[in-house]
Amino acid sequence: MPFSQQTVLVTGASSGIGQACAEAFANAGARLLLCARREDRLSDIARRLREEFGAEILAFPLDVRERSAVEAAFEAFPTEWQDIDVLVNNAGLSRGLEPIQEGSYQDWDEMLDTNVKGLLNISRTLLPKMVARGEGQVINIGSIAGHEVYPGGAVYCASKHAVDAITKGMRLDLNGTGIRVSTVDPGLVNTEFSSVRFHGDTERADSTYLGMTPLFGKDVAETVLWVASRPKHVNAAEILLLPSDQASCGKVHRRES
Ligand code: NDP
Ligand code: 8X3
């Protein structure tokens, strides 16, 4: 089991890519720390992974936007869970697709507070321990939206451009500490992402993937696992992972149904 000695933290593990990462690392023998806001979903996932893979799991509710709650959660861990080998900064969301002049302040705050400041809250809390140990790996889930901008996506894309900048800055600041920093940047992935973006309008969410074959959480999780499996002297720094039907944010091949 390649990860049998490793402790892996996945944020946003209650759904989609995070849930798939939890499953992939459990299958590879890792001990897992899983967090998200929906405690019931997390508990079900943790129970299933314990049954299926015999995984050792500590699942706990956490809103990554709440800095003091993030700090308190990690201080409260039992000693045997303190040394985290791999941090998967996955928790994130999009809200709305309105043009900038019609955008909602609430949606903007939620995206920036979660995707940017949430990632910083988790990273700032955990990195000192990794630096002190001289080892660890941070894998941020960015997006094609960190490489391009599309209409109605200014703020979500800004948040993912920020993740790209933070990833690059982390790599510079942590160079020589023994910590590797990577980003996995997917294109369209069929998760709850679009349903969250459209505030529960599932018909509109489903239309995102109409006539094309998107990625699934498992595809991204397999890539994250591959990044984490490289030998210590190799850093897979940046991976843009697209569905074959997608060439850019706005160029998606769709078949007539
Ligand atoms: P999902 O909506 O399926 O999953 C999002 C996860 O993030 C959930 O587990 C959710 O849990 C968690 N989350 C959201 N807000 C918070 C918060 N404040 N605190 C803690 N956890 C939070 O979407 P995806 O799996 O697709 O998204 C995962 C990541 O992948 C995001 O960063 C997204 O930007 C990125 N991404 C997604 C793509 C896609 O097309 N789907 C493409 C490129 C990148 P809960 O609600 O329980 O808190
Ligand atoms: C999610 C991919 O293109 O919907 O980050 O913004 S996209």
Side-chain angles (χ1 to χ4, degrees):
M1 295 292 253
F3 282 86
S4 60
Q5 302 301 319
Q6 307 260 308
T7 301
V8 178
L9 166 65
V10 182
T11 68
S14 63
S15 159
I17 295 169
Q19 179 178 346
C21 286
E23 186 162 335
F25 279 106
N27 189 31
R31 308 165 79 229
L32 287 171
L33 289 158
L34 304 179
C35 64
R37 293 166 301 176
R38 287 170 293 178
E39 195 171 5
D40 50 338
R41 295 271 295 255
L42 266 187
S43 308
D44 285 349
I45 290 164
R47 189 175 49 247
R48 192 175 56 74
L49 296 181
R50 282 187 200 105
E51 282 168 10
E52 203 167 326
F53 303 108
E56 205 184 332
I57 299 177
L58 190 61
F60 54 101
L62 187 67
D63 186 330
V64 296
R65 293 171 297 180
E66 300 197 5
R67 187 167 297 153
S68 49
V70 169
E71 289 168 352
F74 292 102
E75 265 167 34
F77 283 167
T79 327
E80 65 273 21
W81 287 96
Q82 293 276 345
D83 292 342
I84 292 165
D85 298 291
V86 182
L87 160 61
V88 183
N89 266 323
N90 164 75
L93 79 183
S94 67
R95 289 290 197 192
L97 203 55
E98 294 80 22
I100 195 87
Q101 68 275 21
E102 293 165 20
S104 139
Y105 285 118
Q106 196 183 329
D107 286 351
W108 294 353
D109 284 345
E110 201 175 352
M111 287 187 277
L112 295 170
D113 288 349
T114 309
N115 302 357
V116 183
K117 291 164 81 178
L119 181 145
L120 288 171
N121 292 339
I122 296 281
S123 304
R124 179 65 182 85
T125 303
L126 297 187
L127 280 171
K129 282 200 181 110
M130 283 191 183
V131 170
R133 287 171 64 218
E135 60 182 323
Q137 187 166 17
V138 180
I139 304 175
N140 293 329
I141 304 300
S143 170
I144 188 175
H147 300 253
E148 301 175 27
V149 182
Y150 51 84
V155 177
Y156 178 70
C157 293
S159 78
K160 289 299 182 178
H161 276 68
V163 170
D164 180 55
I166 291 165
T167 303
K168 287 174 174 147
M170 280 183 173
R171 204 177 296 125
L172 292 171
D173 293 348
L174 294 165
N175 181 242
T177 63
I179 298 167
R180 290 178 287 175
V181 182
S182 308
T183 181
V184 174
D185 300 345
L188 291 165
V189 192
N190 195 348
T191 61
E192 293 175 19
F193 178 87
S194 293
S195 162
V196 171
R197 160 165 268 170
F198 298 124
H199 296 276
D201 181 343
T202 44
E203 206 174 314
R204 194 170 174 202
D206 291 345
S207 72
T208 309
Y209 313 108
L210 208 63
M212 58 88 62
T213 307
L215 298 172
F216 297 94
K218 189 170 186 280
D219 300 311
V220 183
E222 283 171 358
T223 306
V224 170
L225 192 74
W226 181 83
V227 170
S229 312
R230 293 313 84 214
K232 277 213 167 110
H233 68 288
V234 177
N235 186 23
E238 185 174 316
I239 294 178
L240 180 64
L241 188 74
L242 300 180
S244 303
D245 283 335
Q246 184 173 25
S248 72
C249 282
K251 179 76 178 80
V252 178
H253 176 67
R254 296 183 193 271
R255 284 164 283 273
E256 300 282 323
S257 54

